Amino acid sequence: MDNLLEELQQRWQQLFTALARGEDVAPSARLRAEGMMEAAVLVGAADPVALDALLEATSQATRGSSLADELGADWRSFYPFPQLPLYMGRAPVVPSTSD
């Protein structure tokens, strides 16, 4: 079961890193990670609270901030388990004309 949790951490880290670099993340990658989170609970490898703590630690280690720092302590009320609150930052806008 430790392999499952390690794989989840690696996937979260890849997702957070790609988003931090301004890259797109395929919805399928997020959905697979969410499915693995649900499977981890179903097979008894972890409970939702433990997975959220691991997710927060991975976010902190990868991006330098936790989800609670960015979205508020009640972020799970907006993103029910196992949903991951992953989104791209705003793209920089460069004017194409002088006016």
Side-chain angles (χ1 to χ4, degrees):
M1 296 295 173
D2 289 338
N3 289 342
L4 177 59
L5 298 181
E6 288 173 14
E7 180 65 26
L8 263 173
Q9 282 184 289
Q10 288 175 2
R11 289 180 187 224
W12 293 334
Q13 185 176 21
Q14 291 169 353
L15 293 169
F16 288 140
T17 300
L19 290 172
R21 288 192 304 243
E23 298 173 3
D24 287 333
V25 172
S28 59
R30 179 183 55 84
L31 292 170
R32 283 193 301 270
E34 291 172 352
M36 286 181 70
M37 292 169 67
E38 189 169 13
V41 171
L42 291 173
V43 299
D47 61 51
V49 173
L51 285 176
D52 281 350
L54 194 57
L55 178 64
E56 287 281 23
T58 304
S59 175
Q60 184 71 41
T62 305
R63 302 180 314 148
S65 64
S66 70
L67 296 170
D69 291 341
E70 292 183 14
L71 304 172
D74 63 342
W75 67 270
R76 265 294 173 216
S77 64
F78 298 102
Y79 301 94
F81 184 86
Q83 189 176 357
L84 295 172
L86 303 178
Y87 50 89
M88 290 252 333
R90 281 187 62 140
V93 177
V94 179
S96 59
T97 63
S98 61
D99 50 319

Coordinates of all heavy atoms in Angstrom, one line a residue:
M1 N 0.8 -1.2 0.0 CA 0.0 0.0 0.0 C 0.9 1.3 0.0 O 0.4 2.3 -0.5 CB -0.9 0.0 1.2 CG -2.0 -1.1 1.2 SD -3.1 -0.9 -0.1 CE -4.0 -2.4 0.0
D2 N 2.1 1.2 0.5 CA 3.0 2.3 0.5 C 3.3 2.7 -0.9 O 3.4 3.9 -1.2 CB 4.3 2.0 1.3 CG 4.0 1.9 2.8 OD1 3.0 2.5 3.3 OD2 4.9 1.3 3.5
N3 N 3.3 1.8 -1.8 CA 3.6 2.1 -3.2 C 2.5 3.0 -3.8 O 2.8 3.9 -4.6 CB 3.8 0.8 -4.1 CG 5.0 0.1 -3.8 OD1 6.0 0.6 -3.2 ND2 5.1 -1.2 -4.1
L4 N 1.3 2.7 -3.4 CA 0.2 3.5 -3.9 C 0.3 4.9 -3.4 O 0.1 5.9 -4.2 CB -1.2 2.9 -3.4 CG -2.4 3.6 -3.8 CD1 -2.6 3.8 -5.3 CD2 -3.6 2.9 -3.2
L5 N 0.6 5.1 -2.2 CA 0.7 6.5 -1.7 C 1.9 7.2 -2.3 O 1.9 8.4 -2.5 CB 0.8 6.5 -0.1 CG -0.4 5.9 0.6 CD1 -0.2 5.9 2.1 CD2 -1.7 6.6 0.2
E6 N 3.0 6.5 -2.5 CA 4.2 7.1 -3.1 C 3.9 7.5 -4.6 O 4.3 8.6 -5.0 CB 5.4 6.1 -3.1 CG 6.0 5.9 -1.7 CD 7.0 4.8 -1.7 OE1 7.5 4.4 -2.8 OE2 7.4 4.4 -0.6
E7 N 3.1 6.7 -5.3 CA 2.7 7.0 -6.6 C 1.8 8.2 -6.7 O 2.0 9.1 -7.5 CB 2.0 5.8 -7.3 CG 1.6 6.0 -8.7 CD 2.7 6.3 -9.7 OE1 3.9 5.8 -9.5 OE2 2.5 6.9 -10.7
L8 N 0.9 8.3 -5.7 CA 0.1 9.5 -5.6 C 0.9 10.7 -5.4 O 0.7 11.8 -6.1 CB -0.9 9.3 -4.5 CG -2.3 8.8 -4.9 CD1 -3.1 8.6 -3.6 CD2 -3.0 9.8 -5.8
Q9 N 1.8 10.7 -4.5 CA 2.7 11.8 -4.2 C 3.5 12.2 -5.5 O 3.6 13.4 -5.8 CB 3.7 11.6 -3.1 CG 3.1 11.7 -1.7 CD 4.1 11.5 -0.7 OE1 4.6 10.4 -0.5 NE2 4.4 12.6 0.0
Q10 N 4.0 11.3 -6.2 CA 4.7 11.6 -7.4 C 3.8 12.3 -8.5 O 4.2 13.2 -9.1 CB 5.3 10.3 -8.0 CG 6.5 9.8 -7.2 CD 7.0 8.5 -7.8 OE1 6.5 8.0 -8.8 NE2 8.0 7.9 -7.1
R11 N 2.6 11.8 -8.6 CA 1.7 12.3 -9.6 C 1.3 13.8 -9.2 O 1.2 14.6 -10.0 CB 0.4 11.5 -9.7 CG 0.7 10.2 -10.5 CD -0.5 9.3 -10.6 NE -0.1 8.0 -11.2 CZ -0.8 7.4 -12.1 NH1 -1.9 8.0 -12.6 NH2 -0.4 6.3 -12.6
W12 N 1.0 14.0 -7.9 CA 0.7 15.3 -7.4 C 1.8 16.2 -7.7 O 1.7 17.4 -8.1 CB 0.4 15.3 -5.9 CG -0.9 14.6 -5.5 CD1 -2.0 14.4 -6.3 CD2 -1.1 14.0 -4.2 NE1 -2.9 13.7 -5.5 CE2 -2.4 13.5 -4.3 CE3 -0.4 13.9 -3.1 CZ2 -3.0 12.8 -3.2 CZ3 -1.0 13.2 -2.0 CH2 -2.3 12.7 -2.0
Q13 N 3.0 15.8 -7.4 CA 4.2 16.6 -7.6 C 4.4 17.0 -9.1 O 4.7 18.1 -9.4 CB 5.5 15.9 -7.1 CG 6.7 16.7 -7.2 CD 7.9 16.0 -6.6 OE1 8.0 14.8 -6.5 NE2 8.9 16.8 -6.2
Q14 N 4.2 16.0 -10.0 CA 4.2 16.3 -11.4 C 3.2 17.4 -11.8 O 3.5 18.3 -12.6 CB 4.1 15.0 -12.2 CG 5.2 14.1 -12.1 CD 4.9 12.7 -12.7 OE1 3.8 12.4 -13.1 NE2 5.9 11.9 -12.7
L15 N 2.0 17.2 -11.3 CA 0.9 18.1 -11.6 C 1.2 19.5 -11.1 O 1.1 20.5 -11.8 CB -0.4 17.7 -11.0 CG -1.0 16.4 -11.6 CD1 -2.2 15.9 -10.8 CD2 -1.5 16.6 -13.0
F16 N 1.6 19.7 -9.8 CA 1.9 21.0 -9.2 C 3.1 21.6 -9.9 O 3.1 22.8 -10.2 CB 2.3 20.8 -7.7 CG 1.1 20.5 -6.9 CD1 1.2 19.6 -5.8 CD2 -0.2 21.1 -7.1 CE1 0.1 19.3 -5.0 CE2 -1.3 20.8 -6.3 CZ -1.1 20.0 -5.2
T17 N 4.1 20.8 -10.3 CA 5.3 21.4 -10.9 C 5.0 21.9 -12.3 O 5.4 23.0 -12.7 CB 6.4 20.3 -11.0 OG1 6.7 19.9 -9.7 CG2 7.7 20.8 -11.7
A18 N 4.2 21.1 -13.1 CA 3.8 21.6 -14.4 C 3.0 22.9 -14.4 O 3.3 23.8 -15.1 CB 3.0 20.5 -15.1
L19 N 2.1 23.0 -13.4 CA 1.3 24.2 -13.3 C 2.1 25.4 -12.9 O 1.9 26.5 -13.4 CB 0.1 23.9 -12.3 CG -1.0 23.0 -12.9 CD1 -2.0 22.7 -11.7 CD2 -1.7 23.6 -14.1
A20 N 3.0 25.1 -12.0 CA 3.9 26.2 -11.5 C 4.8 26.7 -12.7 O 5.1 27.9 -12.7 CB 4.8 25.7 -10.4
R21 N 5.1 25.9 -13.6 CA 5.9 26.3 -14.8 C 5.1 27.0 -15.9 O 5.6 27.4 -16.9 CB 6.7 25.1 -15.4 CG 7.8 24.6 -14.5 CD 8.7 23.6 -15.3 NE 7.9 22.5 -15.8 CZ 8.1 21.3 -15.5 NH1 9.0 20.9 -14.6 NH2 7.4 20.3 -16.0
G22 N 3.7 27.0 -15.6 CA 2.8 27.6 -16.6 C 2.4 26.7 -17.7 O 1.9 27.1 -18.7
E23 N 2.7 25.4 -17.5 CA 2.3 24.4 -18.5 C 0.9 23.9 -18.3 O 0.3 24.0 -17.2 CB 3.3 23.2 -18.4 CG 4.7 23.5 -18.7 CD 5.6 22.3 -18.4 OE1 5.2 21.2 -18.1 OE2 6.9 22.6 -18.5
D24 N 0.3 23.4 -19.4 CA -1.0 22.8 -19.3 C -0.9 21.4 -18.7 O 0.1 20.8 -18.8 CB -1.6 22.6 -20.7 CG -2.1 24.0 -21.3 OD1 -2.4 24.9 -20.6 OD2 -2.1 24.0 -22.5
V25 N -1.9 21.1 -18.0 CA -2.1 19.7 -17.4 C -3.3 19.1 -18.0 O -4.4 19.7 -17.9 CB -2.2 19.8 -15.9 CG1 -2.5 18.4 -15.3 CG2 -0.9 20.3 -15.3
A26 N -3.1 17.9 -18.6 CA -4.3 17.2 -19.2 C -5.3 16.9 -18.1 O -4.9 16.4 -17.1 CB -3.8 16.0 -19.9
P27 N -6.5 17.1 -18.4 CA -7.6 16.7 -17.5 C -7.5 15.2 -17.1 O -7.8 14.8 -16.0 CB -8.9 17.0 -18.2 CG -8.5 18.0 -19.2 CD -7.1 17.8 -19.6
S28 N -7.0 14.4 -18.0 CA -6.9 13.0 -17.7 C -5.9 12.7 -16.6 O -6.1 11.8 -15.8 CB -6.6 12.2 -19.0 OG -5.3 12.6 -19.5
A29 N -4.9 13.4 -16.5 CA -3.9 13.2 -15.5 C -4.5 13.6 -14.1 O -4.3 12.8 -13.1 CB -2.6 14.1 -15.7
R30 N -5.2 14.7 -14.1 CA -5.9 15.0 -12.8 C -7.0 14.0 -12.4 O -7.0 13.5 -11.3 CB -6.6 16.4 -12.9 CG -7.3 16.8 -11.7 CD -8.1 18.1 -11.8 NE -9.0 18.2 -12.9 CZ -10.2 17.7 -12.9 NH1 -10.7 17.2 -11.8 NH2 -11.0 17.8 -14.0
L31 N -7.7 13.5 -13.4 CA -8.8 12.5 -13.1 C -8.2 11.2 -12.7 O -8.8 10.5 -11.8 CB -9.7 12.4 -14.4 CG -10.5 13.6 -14.7 CD1 -11.2 13.4 -16.1 CD2 -11.5 13.9 -13.7
R32 N -7.1 10.8 -13.3 CA -6.5 9.5 -12.8 C -6.0 9.7 -11.4 O -6.1 8.7 -10.6 CB -5.3 9.2 -13.8 CG -5.8 8.5 -15.1 CD -4.7 7.9 -15.8 NE -3.6 8.8 -16.2 CZ -3.5 9.5 -17.3 NH1 -4.5 9.4 -18.2 NH2 -2.5 10.3 -17.6
A33 N -5.4 10.8 -11.0 CA -4.9 11.0 -9.7 C -6.1 11.0 -8.7 O -6.0 10.4 -7.6 CB -4.1 12.3 -9.6
E34 N -7.2 11.6 -9.1 CA -8.4 11.6 -8.2 C -8.9 10.2 -8.1 O -9.3 9.8 -7.0 CB -9.5 12.5 -8.8 CG -9.1 14.0 -8.7 CD -10.1 14.9 -9.5 OE1 -10.9 14.4 -10.2 OE2 -9.9 16.1 -9.3
G35 N -8.9 9.4 -9.1 CA -9.3 8.0 -9.1 C -8.4 7.2 -8.1 O -8.9 6.3 -7.4
M36 N -7.1 7.5 -8.2 CA -6.2 6.8 -7.3 C -6.5 7.1 -5.9 O -6.3 6.3 -5.0 CB -4.8 7.1 -7.7 CG -4.3 6.4 -9.0 SD -2.6 6.7 -9.4 CE -1.8 5.8 -8.1
M37 N -6.8 8.4 -5.6 CA -7.1 8.8 -4.2 C -8.4 8.0 -3.7 O -8.4 7.5 -2.6 CB -7.4 10.3 -4.2 CG -6.2 11.2 -4.5 SD -6.6 12.9 -4.7 CE -7.2 13.4 -3.1
E38 N -9.4 7.9 -4.6 CA -10.6 7.2 -4.2 C -10.3 5.7 -3.9 O -10.7 5.1 -3.0 CB -11.7 7.4 -5.2 CG -13.0 6.9 -4.8 CD -14.1 7.3 -5.7 OE1 -13.8 7.8 -6.8 OE2 -15.3 7.1 -5.3
A39 N -9.4 5.2 -4.8 CA -9.1 3.7 -4.7 C -8.3 3.5 -3.4 O -8.5 2.5 -2.7 CB -8.2 3.3 -5.9
A40 N -7.4 4.5 -3.0 CA -6.6 4.3 -1.8 C -7.5 4.3 -0.6 O -7.3 3.5 0.4 CB -5.6 5.5 -1.7
V41 N -8.6 5.0 -0.6 CA -9.6 5.0 0.5 C -10.3 3.7 0.5 O -10.5 3.0 1.5 CB -10.5 6.2 0.4 CG1 -11.7 6.0 1.4 CG2 -9.8 7.5 0.7
L42 N -10.7 3.2 -0.7 CA -11.5 2.0 -0.8 C -10.8 0.8 -0.4 O -11.4 -0.2 0.2 CB -12.0 1.8 -2.2 CG -13.1 2.8 -2.7 CD1 -13.4 2.6 -4.2 CD2 -14.4 2.7 -1.8
V43 N -9.5 0.7 -0.6 CA -8.7 -0.5 -0.2 C -8.1 -0.3 1.2 O -7.4 -1.2 1.6 CB -7.6 -0.8 -1.3 CG1 -8.1 -1.1 -2.6 CG2 -6.5 0.3 -1.3
G44 N -8.3 0.8 1.8 CA -7.9 1.0 3.2 C -6.5 1.4 3.3 O -5.9 1.4 4.4
A45 N -5.9 1.9 2.3 CA -4.5 2.4 2.3 C -4.4 3.7 3.1 O -3.3 4.1 3.7 CB -3.9 2.6 0.9
A46 N -5.4 4.5 3.1 CA -5.5 5.8 3.8 C -6.9 6.3 3.9 O -7.8 5.7 3.2 CB -4.7 6.8 3.0
D47 N -7.2 7.2 4.7 CA -8.5 7.9 4.7 C -8.4 9.2 4.1 O -7.3 9.8 3.9 CB -9.0 7.9 6.2 CG -8.1 8.7 7.1 OD1 -7.8 9.9 6.8 OD2 -7.8 8.2 8.2
P48 N -9.5 9.9 3.8 CA -9.5 11.2 3.1 C -8.7 12.2 3.9 O -8.0 13.0 3.3 CB -11.0 11.5 3.0 CG -11.7 10.2 3.0 CD -10.9 9.3 3.9
V49 N -8.8 12.2 5.2 CA -8.1 13.2 6.0 C -6.6 13.0 5.9 O -5.8 14.0 5.7 CB -8.5 13.2 7.5 CG1 -7.6 14.1 8.3 CG2 -10.0 13.5 7.6
A50 N -6.1 11.8 5.9 CA -4.7 11.5 5.7 C -4.2 11.9 4.3 O -3.1 12.4 4.2 CB -4.4 10.0 6.0
L51 N -5.0 11.6 3.3 CA -4.6 11.9 2.0 C -4.6 13.4 1.8 O -3.7 14.0 1.1 CB -5.6 11.3 1.0 CG -5.4 9.8 0.7 CD1 -6.5 9.3 -0.2 CD2 -4.1 9.5 0.2
D52 N -5.5 14.2 2.4 CA -5.5 15.6 2.3 C -4.2 16.2 3.0 O -3.6 17.1 2.5 CB -6.7 16.2 2.9 CG -7.9 16.2 2.0 OD1 -7.7 15.8 0.8 OD2 -9.0 16.5 2.4
A53 N -3.8 15.6 4.1 CA -2.6 16.1 4.7 C -1.4 15.8 3.9 O -0.5 16.6 3.8 CB -2.4 15.4 6.1
L54 N -1.3 14.6 3.2 CA -0.3 14.3 2.3 C -0.3 15.2 1.1 O 0.8 15.7 0.6 CB -0.4 12.8 1.9 CG 0.8 12.2 1.2 CD1 2.1 12.2 2.1 CD2 0.5 10.7 0.9
L55 N -1.4 15.5 0.6 CA -1.6 16.4 -0.5 C -1.1 17.8 -0.2 O -0.3 18.5 -0.9 CB -3.0 16.5 -1.0 CG -3.4 17.5 -2.1 CD1 -2.7 17.0 -3.4 CD2 -4.9 17.5 -2.3
E56 N -1.4 18.3 1.0 CA -1.0 19.6 1.5 C 0.5 19.6 1.6 O 1.2 20.6 1.2 CB -1.6 20.0 2.8 CG -3.1 20.4 2.7 CD -3.3 21.8 2.2 OE1 -2.4 22.4 1.6 OE2 -4.4 22.3 2.5
A57 N 1.1 18.6 2.2 CA 2.6 18.5 2.3 C 3.3 18.5 1.0 O 4.3 19.1 0.8 CB 2.9 17.3 3.1
T58 N 2.7 17.8 0.0 CA 3.3 17.7 -1.3 C 3.2 19.1 -2.0 O 4.1 19.6 -2.6 CB 2.6 16.7 -2.2 OG1 2.6 15.4 -1.5 CG2 3.2 16.5 -3.5
S59 N 2.1 19.8 -1.8 CA 1.9 21.1 -2.4 C 2.9 22.1 -1.7 O 3.6 22.8 -2.5 CB 0.5 21.6 -2.1 OG 0.4 23.0 -2.5
Q60 N 3.1 22.0 -0.4 CA 4.0 22.9 0.3 C 5.5 22.6 -0.2 O 6.2 23.5 -0.5 CB 4.0 22.6 1.8 CG 4.8 23.5 2.6 CD 4.4 25.0 2.6 OE1 3.1 25.2 2.7 NE2 5.3 25.9 2.6
A61 N 5.8 21.3 -0.3 CA 7.2 21.0 -0.8 C 7.5 21.3 -2.2 O 8.6 21.7 -2.6 CB 7.4 19.5 -0.5
T62 N 6.4 21.2 -3.1 CA 6.6 21.4 -4.5 C 6.5 22.9 -4.9 O 7.3 23.4 -5.7 CB 5.6 20.6 -5.3 OG1 5.7 19.2 -4.9 CG2 5.8 20.7 -6.8
R63 N 5.5 23.6 -4.3 CA 5.2 24.9 -4.7 C 5.5 26.0 -3.7 O 5.5 27.2 -4.0 CB 3.7 25.1 -5.1 CG 3.3 24.1 -6.2 CD 1.8 24.2 -6.5 NE 0.9 24.3 -5.3 CZ -0.2 24.9 -5.3 NH1 -0.6 25.6 -6.3 NH2 -0.9 24.9 -4.2
G64 N 5.8 25.5 -2.5 CA 6.2 26.5 -1.5 C 5.0 27.1 -0.8 O 5.1 28.0 0.1
S65 N 3.8 26.6 -1.1 CA 2.6 27.0 -0.4 C 1.6 25.9 -0.4 O 1.6 25.1 -1.3 CB 2.0 28.3 -1.0 OG 1.5 28.0 -2.3
S66 N 0.8 25.9 0.6 CA -0.2 24.8 0.7 C -1.5 25.3 0.0 O -1.7 26.4 -0.3 CB -0.5 24.5 2.2 OG -1.2 25.6 2.8
L67 N -2.4 24.3 -0.2 CA -3.7 24.7 -0.8 C -4.5 25.5 0.2 O -5.2 26.5 -0.3 CB -4.4 23.4 -1.1 CG -3.8 22.5 -2.2 CD1 -4.5 21.2 -2.2 CD2 -3.8 23.2 -3.5
A68 N -4.4 25.3 1.5 CA -5.1 26.1 2.5 C -4.6 27.6 2.4 O -5.4 28.5 2.6 CB -4.9 25.5 3.8
D69 N -3.3 27.8 2.2 CA -2.7 29.1 2.1 C -3.3 29.9 0.9 O -3.6 31.0 1.0 CB -1.2 29.1 1.9 CG -0.5 28.6 3.1 OD1 -1.1 28.7 4.2 OD2 0.7 28.2 3.0
E70 N -3.5 29.1 -0.2 CA -4.0 29.8 -1.4 C -5.5 29.9 -1.6 O -6.0 30.8 -2.1 CB -3.4 29.0 -2.7 CG -1.9 29.1 -2.8 CD -1.4 28.4 -4.0 OE1 -2.2 28.1 -4.9 OE2 -0.2 28.2 -4.1
L71 N -6.2 28.8 -1.1 CA -7.6 28.7 -1.3 C -8.5 29.0 0.0 O -9.7 29.0 -0.1 CB -8.0 27.4 -1.9 CG -7.3 27.0 -3.2 CD1 -7.5 25.6 -3.6 CD2 -7.7 28.0 -4.3
G72 N -7.8 29.0 1.1 CA -8.5 29.1 2.4 C -8.6 27.8 3.1 O -8.5 26.7 2.5
A73 N -8.7 27.8 4.4 CA -8.8 26.6 5.2 C -9.9 25.7 4.8 O -9.9 24.5 5.0 CB -8.8 27.0 6.7
D74 N -11.0 26.3 4.3 CA -12.2 25.5 4.0 C -12.2 25.0 2.5 O -13.3 24.8 2.0 CB -13.5 26.2 4.3 CG -13.6 27.5 3.5 OD1 -12.6 28.0 3.0 OD2 -14.7 28.1 3.5
W75 N -11.1 24.9 1.9 CA -11.0 24.6 0.5 C -11.8 23.3 0.1 O -12.3 23.2 -1.0 CB -9.6 24.6 -0.1 CG -8.7 23.5 0.4 CD1 -7.9 23.5 1.5 CD2 -8.5 22.2 -0.2 NE1 -7.3 22.3 1.7 CE2 -7.6 21.5 0.7 CE3 -9.0 21.6 -1.3 CZ2 -7.2 20.2 0.4 CZ3 -8.6 20.3 -1.6 CH2 -7.7 19.6 -0.8
R76 N -11.8 22.4 1.0 CA -12.5 21.1 0.7 C -14.0 21.3 0.6 O -14.7 20.5 0.0 CB -12.2 20.1 1.8 CG -11.1 19.1 1.5 CD -11.4 18.2 0.3 NE -10.3 17.4 -0.1 CZ -10.0 17.1 -1.3 NH1 -10.7 17.5 -2.3 NH2 -8.9 16.4 -1.6
S77 N -14.6 22.4 1.2 CA -16.0 22.6 1.0 C -16.3 23.0 -0.4 O -17.5 22.8 -0.9 CB -16.5 23.7 2.0 OG -15.9 24.9 1.7
F78 N -15.4 23.5 -1.2 CA -15.5 23.9 -2.6 C -15.1 22.8 -3.5 O -15.5 22.7 -4.7 CB -14.8 25.1 -2.9 CG -15.2 26.3 -2.1 CD1 -14.5 26.8 -1.0 CD2 -16.4 27.0 -2.5 CE1 -14.9 27.9 -0.3 CE2 -16.8 28.1 -1.8 CZ -16.1 28.5 -0.7
Y79 N -14.2 21.9 -3.1 CA -13.6 20.8 -3.9 C -13.8 19.5 -3.0 O -12.8 19.1 -2.4 CB -12.1 21.1 -4.2 CG -11.9 22.3 -4.9 CD1 -11.5 23.5 -4.3 CD2 -11.9 22.4 -6.3 CE1 -11.3 24.7 -5.0 CE2 -11.7 23.5 -7.0 CZ -11.4 24.7 -6.4 OH -11.1 25.8 -7.1
P80 N -14.9 18.9 -3.1 CA -15.1 17.7 -2.3 C -14.2 16.6 -2.7 O -13.8 16.4 -3.8 CB -16.6 17.3 -2.6 CG -17.1 18.2 -3.6 CD -16.1 19.2 -3.9
F81 N -13.8 15.8 -1.7 CA -12.9 14.7 -1.9 C -13.5 13.7 -2.9 O -14.7 13.5 -2.9 CB -12.7 13.9 -0.6 CG -11.7 12.8 -0.7 CD1 -10.4 13.0 -0.5 CD2 -12.1 11.5 -1.0 CE1 -9.4 12.0 -0.6 CE2 -11.2 10.5 -1.1 CZ -9.9 10.7 -0.9
P82 N -12.7 13.3 -3.9 CA -11.3 13.4 -4.1 C -10.9 14.4 -5.1 O -9.8 14.4 -5.7 CB -11.0 12.0 -4.6 CG -12.2 11.6 -5.5 CD -13.3 12.2 -4.7
Q83 N -11.7 15.4 -5.3 CA -11.4 16.4 -6.3 C -10.2 17.2 -6.0 O -10.0 17.7 -4.8 CB -12.6 17.4 -6.5 CG -12.5 18.3 -7.6 CD -13.8 19.2 -7.8 OE1 -14.7 19.0 -7.1 NE2 -13.7 20.1 -8.7
L84 N -9.3 17.4 -7.0 CA -8.1 18.2 -6.8 C -8.3 19.6 -7.4 O -8.8 19.8 -8.5 CB -6.9 17.6 -7.6 CG -6.5 16.2 -7.1 CD1 -5.5 15.6 -8.0 CD2 -5.9 16.3 -5.7
P85 N -8.0 20.6 -6.6 CA -8.2 22.0 -7.1 C -7.0 22.5 -7.9 O -6.2 23.3 -7.5 CB -8.3 22.8 -5.7 CG -7.4 22.0 -4.8 CD -7.6 20.6 -5.2
L86 N -6.9 21.9 -9.1 CA -5.7 22.3 -9.9 C -6.2 23.2 -11.1 O -7.2 22.9 -11.7 CB -5.1 21.0 -10.6 CG -4.7 20.0 -9.5 CD1 -4.1 18.8 -10.3 CD2 -3.6 20.6 -8.6
Y87 N -5.5 24.3 -11.3 CA -5.9 25.2 -12.3 C -4.7 26.0 -12.7 O -3.7 26.2 -12.0 CB -7.0 26.2 -11.8 CG -6.7 26.8 -10.5 CD1 -5.9 28.0 -10.4 CD2 -7.0 26.2 -9.3 CE1 -5.6 28.6 -9.2 CE2 -6.7 26.8 -8.1 CZ -6.0 28.0 -8.1 OH -5.6 28.5 -6.9
M88 N -4.7 26.5 -13.9 CA -3.6 27.3 -14.5 C -3.7 28.7 -13.9 O -4.8 29.2 -13.7 CB -3.7 27.3 -16.0 CG -3.4 26.0 -16.7 SD -1.8 26.0 -17.5 CE -1.4 27.6 -18.0
G89 N -2.6 29.3 -13.8 CA -2.5 30.7 -13.5 C -2.9 31.5 -14.8 O -3.0 31.0 -15.9
R90 N -3.2 32.8 -14.6 CA -3.5 33.6 -15.7 C -2.3 33.7 -16.7 O -1.2 33.9 -16.2 CB -3.9 35.0 -15.3 CG -5.3 35.1 -14.7 CD -5.6 36.5 -14.5 NE -5.6 37.3 -15.7 CZ -6.5 38.2 -16.1 NH1 -7.4 38.5 -15.3 NH2 -6.3 38.8 -17.2
A91 N -2.6 33.6 -17.9 CA -1.6 33.8 -18.9 C -1.2 35.3 -19.0 O -2.1 36.1 -18.9 CB -2.1 33.3 -20.3
P92 N 0.1 35.6 -19.2 CA 0.4 37.0 -19.4 C -0.1 37.5 -20.7 O -0.1 36.8 -21.7 CB 2.0 36.9 -19.4 CG 2.3 35.6 -19.8 CD 1.2 34.7 -19.3
V93 N -0.6 38.7 -20.6 CA -1.2 39.3 -21.8 C -0.3 40.4 -22.3 O 0.1 41.3 -21.5 CB -2.6 40.0 -21.5 CG1 -3.2 40.7 -22.7 CG2 -3.5 38.9 -21.0
V94 N 0.1 40.3 -23.5 CA 1.0 41.3 -24.1 C 0.3 42.0 -25.2 O -0.2 41.3 -26.2 CB 2.3 40.6 -24.7 CG1 3.2 41.5 -25.3 CG2 3.0 39.8 -23.6
P95 N 0.2 43.3 -25.2 CA -0.6 44.0 -26.2 C 0.1 43.8 -27.6 O 1.3 43.8 -27.7 CB -0.6 45.5 -25.8 CG 0.1 45.5 -24.4 CD 0.7 44.2 -24.2
S96 N -0.7 43.7 -28.6 CA -0.1 43.5 -29.9 C 0.0 44.9 -30.7 O 0.6 44.9 -31.8 CB -0.9 42.5 -30.8 OG -2.3 43.0 -30.8
T97 N -0.7 45.9 -30.1 CA -0.6 47.2 -30.8 C -0.2 48.2 -29.7 O -0.3 48.0 -28.5 CB -2.0 47.6 -31.4 OG1 -2.9 47.7 -30.3 CG2 -2.4 46.6 -32.4
S98 N 0.2 49.4 -30.2 CA 0.6 50.5 -29.2 C -0.6 51.2 -28.6 O -0.4 51.9 -27.6 CB 1.5 51.5 -30.0 OG 0.7 52.1 -31.0
D99 N -1.8 51.0 -29.1 CA -2.9 51.7 -28.5 C -3.7 50.9 -27.6 O -3.9 50.4 -26.8 CB -3.9 52.3 -29.6 CG -4.2 51.2 -30.6 OD1 -3.4 50.5 -31.0 OD2 -5.4 51.2 -31.0

